[in-house]
Amino acid sequence: MKRVLSGIQPSGQLHVGNFAGAIRQFVEMQRDHEMYVFVASYHALTSTRDPRKLSENIRQVVIDYIAFGLDPAPGKVNIYLQHDVPEVTELCWLLSCVCPKHMMDKATSFKDKVSKGLQASIGLYVYPILQAADILSVDPDLVPVGSDQVQHVEITRDLAMKFNHYFGETFKVPAHKLREEAGTLPGVDGQKMSKSYGNTIDPFMAEKPLRKRIMSIVTDSTPVEDPKDPTQCTVFQIFRGLAGANDPRTAELEQRYRAGGMGYGDAKKALFELILEEFGSARRKRVELMNDPGYIETVLRHGAAAARAKAREVTDRARKACGL
Ligand code: ADP
Ligand code: TRP
């Protein structure tokens, strides 16, 4: 059975883009893969200075993972917090020492984040090395991510190969896995939907504010009666990302755009209904989980024990390889 690892930063409430780009893959893969899915809490420290908010976001991501359909039963998905596996920071150091500085200079996410106003800390600069440590710590075969994370998995592969080159075969070299049809979902303003841009759609919102949020999606001023190009419309792009490009509901909506006579308000209504339908069971499950903190604790304890055992084995192997 192939082993899979992935994670998400607890930098804010998860959104439908995170689900379409990343979490849906985790849920699909859990059937026939050994799974490690974690909350990247150390990574979030590169952008957060609010301890209360950070710990609340961490708890929320765990609840959302399970609500979205990850099964944390023993032998299924190991869900854990990054900071419960301190071996990762040890591995991060070992990898830092084989990482040429130019590799970090080339990473695009640092520049992007600094241009958006994040402090250019050393932590933010070496963020990809910590991500490599997360990944390599459990010897995974596959890393399912959205397209914006592919560069980080490439860096991970380079670092693993460099370490292996200097010190002999130590790390397994993993591959990324994209869910091709998902693409990147735009947010309500038409930019990439992102926790840090305030443009997300949160599938767990109460119905009324959710409807309002969807109605606020920016569209152009094509009159109702005119045919419209769905590929240029944010509402359609989100719909297609969630329902799937080959789904009959997508084909039907596409046809309505092209035919003319449908206003954007109707398209938004279709998206609102799709979200309620797709996330109905997740919404109910989340309410149950919010009321059961003891269960969440147990899930995290078991997940951390499994991840730590594996990470210790890998870290010891790496220490020995480099002469420690
Ligand atoms: P955010 O930009 O909201 O902070 P993250 O960088 O934490 O999201 O990404 C978590 C996962 O969700 C990654 O695998 C990423 O590729 C995926 N993802 C994030 N935003 C989107 C989006 N708008 N569309 C598709 N996938 C996304
Ligand atoms: N950088 C990822 C994000 O922003 C989160 C992350 C940290 C991650 N470590 C990882 C993803 C390891 C996959 C594997 O979403």
Side-chain angles (χ1 to χ4, degrees), residues 247-296:
D247 190 277
R249 293 169 296 182
T250 306
E252 191 206 321
L253 186 63
E254 177 165 4
Q255 209 273 329
R256 288 173 67 200
Y257 268 83
R258 297 202 189 278
M262 180 193 71
Y264 289 118
D266 288 340
K268 290 175 178 175
K269 193 158 167 270
L271 177 61
F272 173 67
E273 278 158 14
L274 177 78
I275 289 179
L276 287 186
E277 191 179 318
E278 292 290 302
F279 296 103
S281 71
R283 289 164 68 92
R284 287 187 291 276
K285 177 99 194 173
R286 184 170 183 262
V287 175
E288 273 171 40
L289 292 165
M290 300 280 270
N291 292 321
D292 198 352
Y295 172 68
I296 302 295

Side-chain angles (χ1 to χ4, degrees), residues 148-317:
D148 57 327
Q149 292 298 317
V150 171
Q151 187 183 44
H152 288 155
V153 184
E154 289 300 322
I155 291 174
T156 302
R157 292 167 56 85
D158 286 350
L159 290 178
M161 286 188 274
K162 272 199 189 303
F163 195 98
N164 291 350
H165 170 74
Y166 292 127
F167 300 121
E169 236 13 74
T170 306
F171 294 116
K172 183 150 146 191
V173 183
H176 71 260
K177 185 172 177 300
L178 275 178
R179 197 168 188 284
E180 294 299 347
E181 61 163 304
T184 297
L185 267 61
V188 293
D189 57 358
Q191 308 293 315
K192 172 198 176 307
M193 189 181 294
S194 173
K195 288 181 230 111
S196 30
Y197 305 162
N199 65 355
T200 63
I201 297 177
D202 162 10
F204 298 114
M205 262 185 183
E207 282 193 30
K208 223 168 148 190
L210 178 63
R211 179 193 292 271
K212 209 168 151 208
R213 189 75 175 148
I214 292 170
M215 291 299 161
S216 77
I217 297 173
V218 176
T219 49
D220 64 26
S221 53
T222 317
V224 173
E225 55 284 4
D226 286 12
K228 300 174 183 63
D229 180 356
T231 60
Q232 298 304 313
C233 176
T234 302
V235 182
F236 182 79
Q237 286 168 28
I238 300 174
F239 190 101
R240 184 180 52 192
L242 289 176
N246 299 321
D247 190 277
R249 293 169 296 182
T250 306
E252 191 206 321
L253 186 63
E254 177 165 4
Q255 209 273 329
R256 288 173 67 200
Y257 268 83
R258 297 202 189 278
M262 180 193 71
Y264 289 118
D266 288 340
K268 290 175 178 175
K269 193 158 167 270
L271 177 61
F272 173 67
E273 278 158 14
L274 177 78
I275 289 179
L276 287 186
E277 191 179 318
E278 292 290 302
F279 296 103
S281 71
R283 289 164 68 92
R284 287 187 291 276
K285 177 99 194 173
R286 184 170 183 262
V287 175
E288 273 171 40
L289 292 165
M290 300 280 270
N291 292 321
D292 198 352
Y295 172 68
I296 302 295
E297 289 298 315
T298 310
V299 164
L300 291 177
R301 207 170 44 248
H302 287 132
R308 249 200 119 165
K310 195 76 202 109
R312 194 64 254 163
E313 192 188 307
V314 173
T315 308
D316 285 343
R317 203 163 73 212

Side-chain angles (χ1 to χ4, degrees), residues 6-11 13-23 26 113 127 144-149 182-187 192-197 200:
S6 198
I8 292 188
Q9 281 192 82
S11 48
Q13 174 61 51
L14 295 186
H15 52 77
V16 297
N18 297 135
F19 177 75
I23 300 172
F26 309 167
K113 289 176 178 174
Y127 181 115
V145 282
S147 49
D148 57 327
Q149 292 298 317
T184 297
L185 267 61
K192 172 198 176 307
M193 189 181 294
S194 173
K195 288 181 230 111
S196 30
Y197 305 162
T200 63

Side-chain angles (χ1 to χ4, degrees), residues 55-208:
S55 61
E56 181 43 38
N57 284 342
I58 291 172
R59 194 178 98 87
Q60 202 56 63
V61 173
V62 177
I63 289 176
D64 292 355
Y65 275 157
I66 305 172
F68 279 133
L70 286 183
D71 180 358
K76 295 278 176 60
V77 185
N78 297 301
I79 297 179
Y80 61 97
L81 308 181
Q82 188 181 30
H83 64 272
D84 282 341
V85 184
E87 284 76 7
V88 163
T89 51
E90 189 177 344
L91 268 182
C92 182
W93 180 254
L94 300 185
L95 294 167
S96 301
C97 294
V98 299
C99 180
K101 181 173 168 291
H102 66 78
M103 206 190 265
M104 292 301 101
D105 292 336
K106 277 196 312 201
T108 53
S109 75
F110 178 77
K111 283 171 253 169
D112 290 350
K113 289 176 178 174
V114 172
S115 75
K116 301 235 162 64
L118 274 192
Q119 186 187 45
S121 66
I122 296 296
L124 188 63
Y125 185 64
V126 299
Y127 181 115
I129 311 182
L130 181 60
Q131 181 157 351
D134 297 327
I135 296 174
L136 299 177
S137 73
V138 304
D139 282 334
D141 301 282
L142 291 171
V143 185
V145 282
S147 49
D148 57 327
Q149 292 298 317
V150 171
Q151 187 183 44
H152 288 155
V153 184
E154 289 300 322
I155 291 174
T156 302
R157 292 167 56 85
D158 286 350
L159 290 178
M161 286 188 274
K162 272 199 189 303
F163 195 98
N164 291 350
H165 170 74
Y166 292 127
F167 300 121
E169 236 13 74
T170 306
F171 294 116
K172 183 150 146 191
V173 183
H176 71 260
K177 185 172 177 300
L178 275 178
R179 197 168 188 284
E180 294 299 347
E181 61 163 304
T184 297
L185 267 61
V188 293
D189 57 358
Q191 308 293 315
K192 172 198 176 307
M193 189 181 294
S194 173
K195 288 181 230 111
S196 30
Y197 305 162
N199 65 355
T200 63
I201 297 177
D202 162 10
F204 298 114
M205 262 185 183
E207 282 193 30
K208 223 168 148 190

